[in-house]
């Protein structure tokens, strides 16, 4: 072994240890949970063991139900996110650019913003029925706010020094928007979309409480109705796991997009 | 003959929370085409404000700035400006940053951009992002961006203030080279007396609060100037004494 190899190998080992540390706590929790369940210390009709949840998942996966539920949830989240994200982008841009528009809409937005997604479910059923439309709209509202707020922030915080350069070079408003204001806002835009997508994914549970027959959220309400706690846990855990995966993916993408920061 | 760049009775007052602050008083300057003027003064003497008024970024409370007889009320492509910070767009490459300087882009820009990249000595760095360049190199890009429109006047607002001493001297030589090559009229604002003496053919000394022109020192020293030459030292001392004298009276006044 030569000298230069040594620290590198240590670094690698260190990395493996770092990653392993992430898993220690979850594995410990699962192990304790399983042991307590096996020892009869848990009320299994409300808290099934990890093993039971695993079995439920395998049976869902084998029957093709799992991928079916996933597919419908994903398409709802996709449509809702697109709709809410685009609306948030447009309104956020207007709010960031025009103090006049900002004042005009401040009270309306201020009142609407604290309303949680779940709170809108009954209203959307009343307005749009229990079809896809109301589900997608609930998700869209969830995605809207983070995108809107971050876009506004990003657009408004454009460095005035850049705008001065554009003034000196006699650039028109459209060029300034396209070449300076939007690129300068990209970090905030990406953050907004990242938060928007994870909120949209979280909102799928609320959305699929509206007379759904498919979807990850449906697995949860179905589990409750049929007294199948393992199914409820399966639904909740998949939402959590997919949520974290989406976030990791977007965080990586963020670093790729903003290569100058 | 019509004056080239003419500043007439410029006065500037800022109102800060109700009270008025007079920053510039009765500034008169006549800058001939092709000359290199340097405006020197302590910080807070309004020299940057004067330059911003000349660029059309700010308006004078009274008086006017005229370029070839036409009043400068807002920025114009005939007047370029460079700031202490390079103000490059971090998301654009060197080439794209310089291209942004061009008013109406066209396919023939490429040659024009290449020429300016060469002029500031950055050939080979076309695709680099500003964040990958040193401070001096960033300032070179910003010079190229300001020059790519071929302005008649180039205003420099303490452009080398944030650079280290070595880079600064390097950039001073660079700006002289550009001045001689492009025949652009240059107005440089600085608090560095040495920089002004090294570069300018006219050195405008400003007093502060409100900023007025105290004296204009003419320098006909030939380039390249030697910082050790008798003429150089004499001129530098003359200017130092101007400011030093002001300091002295200030102190006497307060006692």
């Amino acid at each position: 072994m030569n000298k230069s190899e040594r620290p590198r190998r240590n670094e690698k080992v260190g990395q493996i240890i770092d990653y392993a540390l992430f898993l220690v706590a979850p594995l410990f929790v699962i192990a304790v949970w399983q042991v307590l369940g096996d020892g009869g210390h848990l009320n299994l009709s409300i808290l099934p063991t990890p093993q039971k949840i695993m079995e439920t998942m395998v049976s869902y996966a084998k029957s093709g139900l799992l991928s079916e539920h996933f597919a419908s949830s994903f398409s709802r989240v996709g449509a809702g996110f697109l709709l809410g994200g685009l609306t948030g982008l447009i309104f956020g841009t207007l709010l960031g650019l025009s103090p006049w528009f900002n004042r005009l809409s401040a009270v309306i937005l201020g009142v609407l913003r604290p309303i949680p997604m779940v709170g809108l479910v009954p209203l959307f059923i009343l307005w749009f029925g229990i079809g896809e439309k109301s589900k997608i709209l609930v998700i869209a509202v969830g995605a809207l706010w983070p995108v809107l707020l971050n876009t506004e922030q990003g657009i408004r915080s454009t460095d005035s020094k850049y705008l001065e350069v554009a003034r000196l070079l006699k650039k028109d408003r459209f060029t300034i928007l396209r070449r300076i204001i939007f690129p300068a806002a990209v970090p905030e835009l990406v953050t907004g979309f990242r938060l928007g997508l994870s909120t949209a994914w979280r909102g799928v549970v609320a959305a699929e409480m509206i007379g759904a027959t498919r979807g990850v959220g449906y697995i949860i309400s179905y589990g409750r109705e049929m007294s199948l706690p393992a199914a409820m846990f399966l639904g909740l855990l998949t939402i959590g796991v997919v949520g974290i995966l989406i976030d990791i993916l977007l965080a990586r993408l963020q670093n790729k997009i903003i290569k100058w920061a | 003959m019509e004056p080239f760049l003419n500043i007439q009775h410029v006065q500037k007052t800022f109102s800060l929370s109700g009270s008025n602050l007079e920053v510039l008083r009765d500034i008169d300057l006549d800058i001939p085409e092709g000359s290199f003027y340097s405006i020197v003064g302590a910080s807070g003497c309004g020299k940057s404000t004067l330059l911003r008024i000349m660029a059309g970024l700010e308006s004078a409370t009274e008086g006017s700035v005229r370029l070839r007889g036409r009043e400068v009320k807002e920025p114009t492509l005939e007047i370029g400006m460079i700031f202490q910070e390079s103000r490059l767009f971090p998301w654009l490459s060197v080439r794209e940053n310089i291209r942004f300087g061009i008013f109406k882009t066209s396919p023939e820009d490429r040659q024009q951009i290449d020429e300016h990249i060469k002029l500031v000595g950055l050939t080979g760095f076309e695709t680099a992002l500003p964040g990958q360049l040193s401070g001096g190199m960033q300032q070179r890009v910003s010079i190229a961006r300001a020059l790519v429109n071929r302005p008649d006047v180039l205003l420099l607002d303490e452009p080398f203030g944030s650079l280290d001493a070595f880079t600064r001297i390097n950039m001073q030589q660079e700006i002289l080279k550009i001045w001689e090559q492009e025949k652009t009229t240059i107005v440089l604002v600085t608090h560095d007396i040495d920089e002004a003496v090294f570069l300018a053919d006219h050195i405008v000394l400003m007093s502060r609060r409100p900023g007025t022109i105290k004296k204009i020192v003419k320098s006909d020293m030939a380039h390249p100037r030697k910082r050790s030459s008798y003429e150089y030292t004499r001129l530098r001392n003359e200017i130092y004494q101007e400011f030093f004298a002001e300091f002295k009276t200030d102190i006497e006044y307060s006692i």
Side-chain angles (χ1 to χ4, degrees), chain A residues 202-249:
Chain A
R202 257 183 286 164
V204 83
V205 185
E208 286 170 355
M209 277 161 56
I210 314 172
T213 52
R214 241 182 253 145
V216 183
Y218 167 73
I219 300 179
I220 299 169
S221 38
Y222 173 81
R224 184 182 57 85
E225 280 163 28
M226 297 290 145
S227 296
L228 292 170
M232 290 175 73
F233 274 94
L234 173 63
L236 288 170
L237 288 174
T238 15
I239 285 170
V241 171
V242 171
I244 196 179
L245 290 179
I246 289 176
D247 214 52
I248 291 171
L249 200 76

Side-chain angles (χ1 to χ4, degrees), chain B residues 3-10 26-32 37-39 50 54 64-66 187 202-204 206 213 215-216:
Chain B
F4 177 67
L5 181 57
N6 179 244
I7 299 166
Q8 245 173 28
H9 308 307
V10 162
D26 212 21
I27 304 284
D28 281 295
L29 256 183
D30 221 329
I31 299 173
Y37 267 64
S38 187
I39 302 174
L50 177 60
M54 289 166 77
S64 65
V65 173
R66 286 170 195 280
V187 182
H202 285 82
I203 302 157
V204 180
M206 281 182 72
I213 294 178
K215 194 173 184 182
I216 299 176

Side-chain angles (χ1 to χ4, degrees), chain A residues 48-124:
Chain A
T49 58
Q51 193 191 346
K52 180 83 172 90
I53 297 167
M54 218 29 211
E55 281 163 16
T56 312
M57 193 184 84
V58 169
S59 83
Y60 264 80
K62 269 191 186 154
S63 65
L65 267 175
L66 194 62
S67 53
E68 213 175 284
H69 286 306
F70 254 122
S72 45
S73 287
F74 268 135
S75 69
R76 278 169 196 147
V77 169
F81 172 67
L82 218 65
L83 183 66
L86 224 58
T87 316
L89 185 68
I90 293 167
F91 276 91
T93 304
L94 288 173
L95 288 167
L97 287 177
S98 159
W100 180 83
F101 185 71
N102 204 314
R103 291 239 171 102
L104 206 65
S105 48
V107 173
I108 297 176
L109 292 178
V111 169
L112 289 179
R113 211 181 59 196
I115 300 174
M117 277 183 279
V118 199
L120 291 170
V121 172
L123 182 69
F124 283 2

Side-chain angles (χ1 to χ4, degrees), chain B residues 104-149:
Chain B
K104 284 245 184 300
T105 44
S106 72
E108 292 95 73
D109 294 343
R110 205 179 169 80
Q111 200 198 335
Q112 201 180 335
I113 295 167
D114 283 340
E115 263 171 42
H116 283 87
I117 289 175
K118 202 176 153 208
L119 179 73
V120 296
L122 281 176
T123 311
F125 290 95
E126 290 86 347
T127 55
L129 290 172
Q132 298 167 311
L133 303 178
S134 69
M137 286 161 100
Q138 290 178 11
Q139 203 53 299
R140 282 165 194 262
V141 180
S142 100
I143 292 170
R145 178 174 66 183
L147 285 175
V148 77
N149 274 322

Side-chain angles (χ1 to χ4, degrees), chain B residues 147-211:
Chain B
L147 285 175
V148 77
N149 274 322
R150 303 198 184 281
D152 300 323
V153 179
L154 191 60
L155 307 176
L156 301 158
D157 188 5
E158 307 211 15
F160 314 132
S162 60
L163 304 176
D164 63 84
F166 287 98
T167 315
R168 192 182 314 153
I169 287 171
N170 226 317
M171 293 297 291
Q172 288 166 357
Q173 270 150 0
E174 201 75 13
I175 209 78
L176 269 183
K177 191 191 86 188
I178 289 167
W179 177 57
E180 280 159 3
Q181 208 169 318
E182 304 282 302
K183 311 265 183 278
T184 318
T185 308
I186 291 183
V187 182
L188 168 85
V189 155
T190 181
H191 57 238
D192 183 347
I193 292 172
D194 188 70
E195 182 168 281
V197 175
F198 185 70
L199 294 173
D201 52 35
H202 285 82
I203 302 157
V204 180
L205 312 185
M206 281 182 72
S207 67
R208 54 179 185 170
R209 280 206 195 119

Side-chain angles (χ1 to χ4, degrees), chain B residues 216-232:
Chain B
I216 299 176
V217 180
K218 200 169 173 305
S219 158
D220 36 26
M221 255 186 290
H223 289 286
R225 291 177 183 171
K226 273 215 166 87
R227 284 185 157 92
S228 55
S229 76
Y230 169 74
E231 180 65 5
Y232 188 96

